[in-house]
Amino acid sequence: MTSQAGTFPYMRRAEKSKLLSWALTTDHKRIGILYLATAFIFFLVGGIEALLIRLQLAQPGAQVLGPDAYNQVFTMHGLTMIFLGAMPIAIGFANYFVPLMIGARDMVFPRLNALSYWLFALGGLFMYSSFLLGGAPDKGWFAYAPMTERAFSPGMRMDFWSLGVIGLAISSTVGSINIIVTIFQLRARGMSITKVPMFVWNMLITSLIGIFAFPSLIVAAALLLLDRQLGTVFFNTAQGGNAMLWQHIFWFFGHPEVYILVLPAMGIMSEVIPVFSRKPLFGFMAIAFSTAAIGVLSFTVWAHHMFSTGMSTISLLFFAADSFLIGVPTGVKIFSWLATMWGGKLRFDTPLLFAMGFIVMFVIGGITGIHVASVPVDWQVTDTYYVVGHFHYVLFGGTILGFLSGLFYWFPKMTGRMLSERLGKLSFWTIMVGMNMVFFPMHYLGLAGMPRRIYTYPADTGWAFWNLFETVGAFITALGFLIILINLIVTLRSRPTNPQDPWDGFTLEWTTSSPPPAENFAEIPAVRSRRPLWDAKHPDMADTH
Amino acid sequence: MNQATTRSRSGMDSAKVAMLVVLGSETFFFGPLVSAYLFMRGMYPWPLDGAPLARLAVPGVNTLILLASVVTMWLALRAIRSGRQPMLARWSAVTLLLGLVFVAGQVLEYTSNNMTPSDHGFGGVFLTLMGFHALHLLAGVIMLALVFFRARLGDFTARRHVAVEVSAWFWYYVAAVWLVLFSVLYLV
Amino acid sequence: MAWRKWISLIGFSLLLAGCTANPATTTFNTNSSIAAEKAQLFNILFWMGVVVFLLVVVLLTIAVIRGRRKPGDTTEPFQNHGNVRLEILWTVIPILLVIFIFFLTVRTMNAVAAPPRENGDLTVRAIGHRWFWEFQYPDLGITTANELHIPEDTNVHIELVSVDVIHSFWVPNLSGKIDVVPGQQNSMWIRADNAGTFMGHCAEFCGIQHANMHFNVIADDASTFQAWVEGQQAGLADSTLTDLEAQGSKIVTAGVCAGCHAIDGTNMLGKTGPNLTHLYSRSIFAGGFELNDENMKQWLRDSGKLKPGNLMAGIRLPDDQIEAVMAYLKTLR
Ligand code: HEA
Ligand code: HEA
Ligand code: CUA
Ligand SMILES: [Cu+2]
């Protein structure tokens, strides 16, 4: 696999045509790589936007970004990280590894697969083109009405938001449908739905959440577009529209979305931890059920984002109780992972390090999630940096660390090259230090009264010190990612060693060469347990008896 | 999507599974739309301009047309199940035309009541609910057009006609959605 | 109240020693039963969280220590697929914890629920504008901005009104926030147990100047408050203006200002901007800027420099008028 085609500024014709073949590909592995590469670039852009945010907030009254620029940057940061970074990375891993892990030769609808990639890539570029055309969306990633109406958002910015989001939502829906049908239809002989690898199961649940959540986002964005372009009045409070309507439709998508963002990473956890503990996943069925439970519950808690909007006490209590409940299945997963490591013989390679980082960081984010789910507490901390702290611990400490674990785990399979362990461990520790320096003080600042989404703050609030501290942390985090970037580039330029099964893995993808051949499997393996490869290696202690 | 007919663990054709998933997803598209309408309706005297609701003529006729199209769709399906392609072509054409008539009726309804998107709620709601429904119907029309031409080319047999089955499911679904919209907008 | 001290002492702040924030804007330094109840609830949940977190970290650490391989050991560990008893255990215990947390939540919600209105209570209408707060006292016939005066030890019922987009009314020392939603009547209540000045912020993103939508709540003892009320109710002392002031008055009342501002006893009835009648009885203006000559000069010369994008940004007074206008504005006490 030579994905550097194109990274060279001057291409010979051969490389040009190679590039073309990539552009026209319908091969699930290539589309997976395209997804991952594109999404990682968007992630870096979102990260650079984050650095701008941090520079502006480093001290009171800073002049790095004006208010208008700041609002565009933090909005695009949120949109980029969620829609162009985290979600496509998950779909990328799914594209590459779901077929390999279930013993299929490709996704079930390869052309649809290419379509959803190009919708994503073009949708992202479309959103970013707004910077050149009168400015980017600047009303926050959840674009509360009526601020987004013509009266308060003249110009094209919110139209870019609507159209871009609709495009990305359609792309993700198509992708989800493809993943679901692939998992239903193309599993290898003997692989019953309860024998699929946990990553595959998580992608199934994630995609199911997706097909039910994204339509709601499309509705919200479409109605907003109609309000702005045709003069309907759904959210136009000045003419009898309703501001709460927007929040209900949006968060009915918005909350499930956050589990769409974390479940794939949890799936990766459930692959990495067993392999590097040399044990089967502890309580497979319990984890599978809690994943499904999270999927169902995620559709019943949306209004916990609206505690301060003046809802009736009864609905406040309902949504609070439901939100607490989600802690239970999530806890089951955390403890099952710990039990998987318990009594194992651990291999502390980079994938496991990031996985352990996930456990610790995610629990912090989960617990603060429980805090904000408690209505009276939320009345104090909602729309403050406490919430910003919460969701970065789950999104960065959860989703992103999980993806990094997956990157180091699967990179050899995708490229035939091992990432440097030394650089890997270095980047791990740098990122851990950095992210905690950025995100932990946010909880304090929130409780100290600092609202979110402010481009500046008065000196007499005394928020300056921890903000500066966070900014330093952000740059340390950036350094960590720079190391990863270097690691990637250096490794991709080195000559492949094509290790077929470097981690002594359990699942089918490791039975193929690295990178796997076109069509993946000469003949489709028959499966009898959840760890076919383990059984093959250890007939004496195979899962099957 | 001929890959759709590869080895399948569910014993069902992939195209059908996909269509079921799509319809599930669609339900969560119309769901919020209808809820949005009921939400607004719960807040304001409804309709804010009683007129459009009074006349059931056009929508009534339209409903009958759509129900008729469901029957013809079913006839088309039955035809190909027993391998009679000319029948399939004929009935799918009829269904398709009925669909177009329905959409025309919707346009008539919208214009004849000279509603505008902004006249409180209703115009906008009508435009939105009916508009999105009409778009789905047109999607169904395109599917049927493909079915029609492939039938003329003789693509289908009694055993291989997934496209027809899938199009039929979609058509039934869109008709069912209309019944919901009709009752929330005109009856209750 | 000892336990309130206890809260502000221990609690989250302890962990980040050297906490630097101004007490007037934190949620720890509570000055009302409402905020205190919430701080206490947070405190309990916080420590529960610490326990859960430590549990996880300790388990992980032990697993890691026990899991190190002896050098040269290539054997595989015992293959343990699960243990129903354990799985039930770590499902049931969290469920119990969750039930307990829910119980605490309900209890606190009752504790902070708005008490019935009694006479002696004060009613205030807090009106969110882009980007400043207007305050009306319906019963007292007072309209002011940026500074909310309340009597200490009195229940204050706040009606939340928005004239444009969603804002959110928040005074961390006194209470949590409730959003100010256009087309919807929200309300909340606050009370200050002791006199003092407390910082307030708009907490819902409301556009380009959301960041400069602060306000102050000033709780006075009964007599001071009464004095303030009378000061606000009294019309402007029509003491004869000096030439400069008169000149300024002409510019303001006859000029564009009237389109957006109101000054009692003049022809000015504008509603877009703050009511200027008693402007110089306040210590901050325009959503949080200190009301001093330098800032006010800057504001009149080019308010967009001080507060980019604010709705008055288009209005720039020529330098030769500023002195006069300021002289006049200063008579508005
Ligand atoms: C990866 C994404 C992700 C995840 C997984 C979560 C998980 C959770 N979130 Fe979070 N959340 C976000 C992303 C996420 N969130 C984002 C992006 C926002 C802000 C959106 C915006 O406003 O911009 C947000 C905002 C948000 C709010 C609104 C805050 C506000 O705006 O005022 C609330 C309120 O209830 C909430 C609650 C929760 C809860 C209860 C969980 C639970 O799922 C957590 C469960 C996990 C645990 C509890 C830890 C592990 C469990 C154990 C160790 C067992 C023992 C624990 C107990 C017994 C409790 N979240
Ligand atoms: C997956 C989601 C995700 C991730 C990973 C992050 C990562 C980060 N986020 Fe973000 N964030 C959000 C999702 C995410 N965020 C969301 C949803 C919001 C809400 C938006 C809204 O309110 O609407 C938000 C808001 C938000 C705010 C609040 C803004 C405000 O309310 O005013 C802040 C403030 O500090 C912040 C900071 C950061 C920082 C410092 C990082 C860092 O961890 C980033 C670290 C990564 C990098 C620094 C990239 C590495 C870059 C390089 C290596 C450069 C070199 C490369 C080249 C030159 C090619 N984020
Ligand atoms: Cu008003 Cu933010
Ligand atoms: Cu949520």
Side-chain angles (χ1 to χ4, degrees):
Chain A
M1 207 292 315
T2 50
S3 77
Q4 318 95 303
T7 60
F8 299 112
Y10 309 107
M11 289 177 294
R12 272 170 275 97
R13 202 206 267 97
E15 278 153 352
K16 277 225 184 61
S17 62
K18 196 184 294 168
L19 203 58
L20 195 65
S21 77
W22 273 86
L24 299 177
T25 184
T26 62
D27 166 34
H28 77 97
K29 295 190 287 302
R30 286 192 154 198
I31 292 180
I33 302 261
L34 285 173
Y35 255 111
L36 288 168
T38 317
F40 187 67
I41 292 170
F42 275 124
F43 170 80
L44 291 182
V45 175
I48 292 168
E49 284 160 344
L51 296 178
L52 289 173
I53 293 175
R54 285 319 318 167
L55 281 176
Q56 168 62 22
L57 295 177
Q59 82 259 89
Q63 299 291 342
V64 180
L65 300 171
D68 187 41
Y70 182 88
N71 293 348
Q72 296 175 50
V73 167
F74 87 72
T75 301
M76 287 307 283
H77 165 69
L79 287 170
T80 305
M81 287 299 193
I82 286 183
F83 289 103
L84 306 175
M87 220 175 3
I89 289 179
I91 299 182
F93 278 127
N95 256 299
Y96 201 106
F97 289 103
V98 163
L100 280 166
M101 291 173 109
I102 64 177
R105 294 203 160 92
D106 201 325
M107 298 287 277
V108 65
F109 303 127
R111 273 183 253 109
L112 221 54
N113 206 12
L115 172 73
S116 64
Y117 167 75
W118 285 107
L119 263 176
F120 148 63
L122 297 177
L125 292 178
F126 173 77
M127 274 214 180
Y128 268 89
S129 65
S130 61
F131 272 111
L132 309 174
L133 304 168
D138 58 351
K139 294 297 185 284
W141 80 280
F142 48 77
Y144 271 3
M147 217 194 340
T148 50
E149 292 283 340
R150 264 276 171 74
F152 307 112
S153 298
M156 301 277 293
R157 294 179 176 186
M158 292 320 294
D159 303 309
F160 272 103
W161 185 93
S162 303
L163 289 169
V165 158
I166 290 176
L168 293 170
I170 292 176
S171 155
S172 310
T173 314
V174 173
S176 305
I177 294 171
N178 210 343
I179 293 169
I180 293 170
V181 182
T182 304
I183 296 173
F184 278 157
Q185 300 294 82
L186 302 186
R187 299 194 306 279
R189 251 174 300 104
M191 186 182 282
S192 66
I193 195 72
T194 58
K195 283 204 179 69
V196 298
M198 187 51 76
F199 174 73
V200 173
W201 177 259
N202 277 54
M203 283 318 303
L204 177 61
I205 301 293
T206 306
S207 310
L208 284 169
I209 300 178
I211 60 162
F212 294 132
F214 294 127
S216 197
L217 175 62
I218 298 176
V219 168
L223 295 189
L224 177 60
L225 204 59
L226 289 171
D227 271 12
R228 291 176 56 82
Q229 296 303 332
L230 294 186
T232 55
V233 296
F234 290 100
F235 313 120
N236 186 335
T237 48
Q239 298 175 43
N242 187 283
M244 287 302 109
L245 179 60
W246 170 269
Q247 297 192 18
H248 282 293
I249 305 179
F250 183 89
W251 288 119
F252 185 79
F253 146 81
H255 185 83
E257 168 69 12
V258 307
Y259 295 101
I260 292 175
L261 290 169
V262 83
L263 288 183
M266 290 178 157
I268 294 174
M269 298 287 292
S270 302
E271 298 300 328
V272 167
I273 291 177
V275 167
F276 289 83
S277 311
R278 312 309 305 150
K279 282 176 62 200
L281 188 57
F282 188 98
F284 185 100
M285 286 315 273
I287 294 188
F289 275 118
S290 18
T291 309
I294 290 175
V296 174
L297 281 175
S298 70
F299 282 94
T300 63
V301 299
W302 75 89
H304 68 202
H305 296 268
M306 304 163 58
F307 282 158
S308 63
T309 56
M311 292 192 294
S312 69
T313 309
I314 186 68
S315 34
L316 286 173
L317 289 176
F318 169 80
F319 285 104
D322 248 20
S323 308
F324 294 145
L325 267 186
I326 297 192
V328 176
T330 318
V332 170
K333 295 177 158 211
I334 300 278
F335 294 121
S336 304
W337 290 328
L338 291 173
T340 307
M341 295 177 66
W342 196 271
K345 294 187 176 174
L346 308 180
R347 288 221 223 84
F348 295 101
D349 299 311
T350 313
L352 185 63
L353 291 188
F354 277 109
M356 294 194 300
F358 176 114
I359 294 182
V360 178
M361 294 300 109
F362 180 81
V363 167
I364 295 181
I367 286 166
T368 54
I370 298 297
H371 292 168
V372 287
S374 179
V375 178
V377 172
D378 191 59
W379 279 336
Q380 275 289 17
V381 300
T382 185
D383 282 312
T384 70
Y385 266 84
Y386 194 88
V387 172
V388 180
H390 156 65
F391 66 72
H392 281 94
Y393 265 91
V394 279
L395 281 171
F396 190 98
T399 307
I400 299 300
L401 291 188
F403 287 163
L404 291 176
S405 174
L407 175 70
F408 279 83
Y409 178 56
W410 278 323
F411 194 80
K413 180 54 62 183
M414 291 188 284
T415 66
R417 298 172 173 82
M418 301 290 289
L419 284 166
S420 150
E421 274 292 310
R422 269 180 59 257
L423 287 179
K425 294 200 164 77
L426 185 62
S427 56
F428 169 74
W429 291 110
T430 323
I431 288 175
M432 289 310 280
V433 172
M435 74 156 283
N436 283 288
M437 282 179 68
V438 191
F439 300 127
F440 201 72
M442 285 183 176
H443 300 106
Y444 171 73
L445 284 174
L447 294 163
M450 181 170 174
R452 61 190 283 197
R453 299 171 157 188
I454 55 175
Y455 76 99
T456 190
Y457 49 93
D460 65 354
T461 53
W463 297 328
F465 173 78
W466 289 110
N467 271 293
L468 181 59
F469 186 86
E470 287 174 4
T471 304
V472 175
F475 278 87
I476 295 177
T477 319
L479 181 65
F481 280 99
L482 212 51
I483 298 172
I484 288 181
L485 210 62
I486 294 167
N487 200 348
L488 288 172
I489 293 169
V490 171
T491 311
L492 281 175
R493 286 166 175 282
S494 69
R495 60 178 32 262
T497 55
N498 305 86
Q500 172 167 331
D501 182 14
W503 311 116
D504 192 359
F506 297 162
T507 39
L508 289 179
E509 75 268 33
W510 303 109
T511 62
T512 64
S513 61
S514 301
E519 302 274 287
N520 302 340
F521 303 93
E523 108 259 8
I524 304 299
V527 175
R528 264 192 271 89
S529 83
R530 290 180 185 130
R531 297 191 297 167
L533 193 48
W534 166 275
D535 295 354
K537 292 173 188 163
H538 305 84
D540 49 324
M541 32 172 149
D543 294 356
T544 39
H545 62 254
Chain B
M1 288 168 212
N2 28 22
Q3 294 89 346
T5 50
T6 47
R7 168 180 43 81
S8 75
R9 303 280 279 100
S10 71
M12 199 178 177
D13 189 288
S14 296
K16 288 187 177 176
V17 180
M19 181 49 77
L20 287 181
V21 177
V22 169
L23 295 185
S25 186
E26 289 282 7
T27 309
F28 276 68
F29 177 82
F30 285 104
L33 271 177
V34 173
S35 328
Y37 156 72
L38 294 174
F39 185 96
M40 296 186 86
R41 172 173 161 155
M43 325 212 6
Y44 310 103
W46 199 262
L48 294 139
D49 46 0
L53 286 179
R55 283 183 239 84
L56 275 175
V58 181
V61 175
N62 251 348
T63 311
L64 297 180
I65 294 176
L66 203 55
L67 291 177
S69 79
V70 168
V71 177
T72 55
M73 184 71 243
W74 175 76
L75 289 170
L77 194 54
R78 207 186 53 168
I80 191 58
R81 279 186 178 150
S82 51
R84 290 172 287 140
Q85 279 201 74
M87 280 305 218
L88 166 63
R90 198 166 310 134
W91 284 124
S92 50
V94 175
T95 315
L96 181 159
L97 291 176
L98 287 172
L100 291 175
V101 174
F102 175 90
V103 174
Q106 291 293 69
V107 176
L108 175 73
E109 169 76 350
Y110 182 73
T111 48
S112 65
N113 290 308
N114 48 41
M115 292 184 245
T116 70
S118 50
D119 58 14
H120 274 68
F122 195 83
V125 170
F126 185 94
L127 182 72
T128 319
L129 294 184
M130 300 312 187
F132 279 120
H133 178 263
L135 286 181
H136 280 75
L137 209 84
L138 291 178
V141 165
I142 294 175
M143 291 190 192
L144 283 177
L146 290 175
V147 168
F148 174 75
F149 288 118
R150 288 183 61 187
R152 298 292 295 281
L153 299 175
D155 272 10
F156 302 115
T157 70
R159 291 170 66 257
R160 286 193 88 272
H161 55 271
V162 192
V164 188
E165 300 270 350
V166 169
S167 315
W169 288 3
F170 188 77
W171 195 263
Y172 298 156
Y173 177 85
V174 176
V177 169
W178 163 256
L179 291 183
V180 175
L181 297 186
F182 179 70
S183 30
V184 293
L185 276 171
Y186 293 93
L187 302 185
V188 295
Chain C
M1 295 220 176
W3 54 268
R4 205 176 288 155
K5 281 236 171 332
W6 179 75
I7 289 166
S8 38
L9 281 180
I10 327 174
F12 199 84
S13 50
L14 192 94
L15 273 135
L16 294 145
C19 291
T20 50
N22 177 341
T25 183
T26 69
T27 58
F28 316 120
N29 178 336
T30 62
N31 203 297
S32 79
S33 58
I34 312 168
E37 289 285 348
K38 291 170 183 170
Q40 188 194 22
L41 173 64
F42 174 78
N43 216 39
I44 301 168
L45 296 188
F46 170 72
W47 287 109
M48 285 177 67
V50 171
V51 172
V52 172
F53 175 69
L54 289 181
L55 176 73
V56 170
V57 172
V58 168
L59 290 176
L60 181 65
T61 319
I62 300 176
V64 165
I65 294 169
R66 293 178 62 232
R68 284 167 312 169
R69 306 186 161 253
K70 327 276 160 300
D73 170 4
T74 56
T75 63
E76 300 288 18
F78 169 66
Q79 300 296 299
N80 175 355
H81 287 261
N83 175 329
V84 177
R85 269 228 211 72
L86 270 176
E87 286 158 31
I88 291 176
L89 182 74
W90 63 52
T91 310
V92 170
I93 292 180
I95 288 180
L96 297 179
L97 279 174
V98 160
I99 293 172
F100 178 59
I101 295 174
F102 183 68
F103 160 76
L104 291 177
T105 303
V106 175
R107 209 193 56 185
T108 311
M109 282 181 72
N110 291 331
V112 302
R117 265 166 222 265
E118 294 161 359
N119 45 10
D121 289 6
L122 179 65
T123 300
V124 178
R125 193 172 298 132
I127 305 175
H129 294 257
R130 287 146 56 235
W131 288 271
F132 69 98
W133 290 94
E134 175 184 356
F135 300 109
Q136 294 177 356
Y137 298 67
D139 312 336
L140 305 175
I142 296 176
T143 299
T144 178
N146 296 306
E147 280 183 357
L148 172 62
H149 286 255
I150 60 172
E152 64 179 331
D153 271 326
T154 311
N155 292 352
V156 181
H157 301 274
I158 302 183
E159 298 166 358
L160 300 162
V161 182
S162 167
V163 298
D164 38 47
V165 301
I166 303 179
H167 305 271
S168 194
F169 183 94
W170 188 34
V171 189
N173 280 188
L174 298 184
S175 170
K177 54 185 79 65
I178 294 293
D179 293 353
V180 183
V181 183
Q184 178 173 320
Q185 277 112 12
N186 282 356
S187 65
M188 63 188 289
W189 73 293
I190 58 174
R191 88 180 261 127
D193 293 347
N194 310 300
T197 300
F198 316 103
M199 290 189 192
H201 318 285
C202 172
E204 184 64 70
F205 182 61
C206 52
I208 190 167
Q209 278 301 338
H210 163 63
N212 288 310
M213 196 166 161
H214 308 283
F215 59 102
N216 280 345
V217 174
I218 298 163
D220 301 322
D221 57 60
S223 56
T224 322
F225 179 73
Q226 194 49 37
W228 176 81
V229 168
E230 280 151 14
Q232 297 287 308
Q233 284 170 334
L236 292 164
D238 45 5
S239 55
T240 53
L241 303 173
T242 68
D243 304 356
L244 188 62
E245 294 164 352
Q247 187 192 342
S249 147
K250 206 180 270 90
I251 299 172
V252 173
T253 51
V256 282
C257 320
C260 299
H261 291 283
I263 298 178
D264 301 359
T266 73
N267 62 337
M268 294 178 64
L269 306 166
K271 294 218 171 310
T272 316
N275 181 309
L276 300 179
T277 310
H278 296 281
L279 172 63
Y280 267 82
S281 69
R282 311 170 200 154
S283 57
I284 63 169
F285 76 106
F289 295 96
E290 187 190 341
L291 180 46
N292 56 29
D293 289 7
E294 184 196 355
N295 282 343
M296 182 52 73
K297 260 204 192 63
Q298 179 54 265
W299 184 265
L300 297 174
R301 185 180 294 114
D302 182 357
S303 61
K305 277 234 170 46
L306 209 56
K307 193 170 178 179
N310 84 77
L311 296 185
M312 178 174 155
I315 308 302
R316 295 195 195 77
L317 280 180
D319 290 357
D320 56 354
Q321 296 184 358
I322 287 175
E323 202 183 340
V325 169
M326 274 190 62
Y328 169 67
L329 291 180
K330 282 184 177 169
T331 66
L332 306 175
R333 312 193 148 274

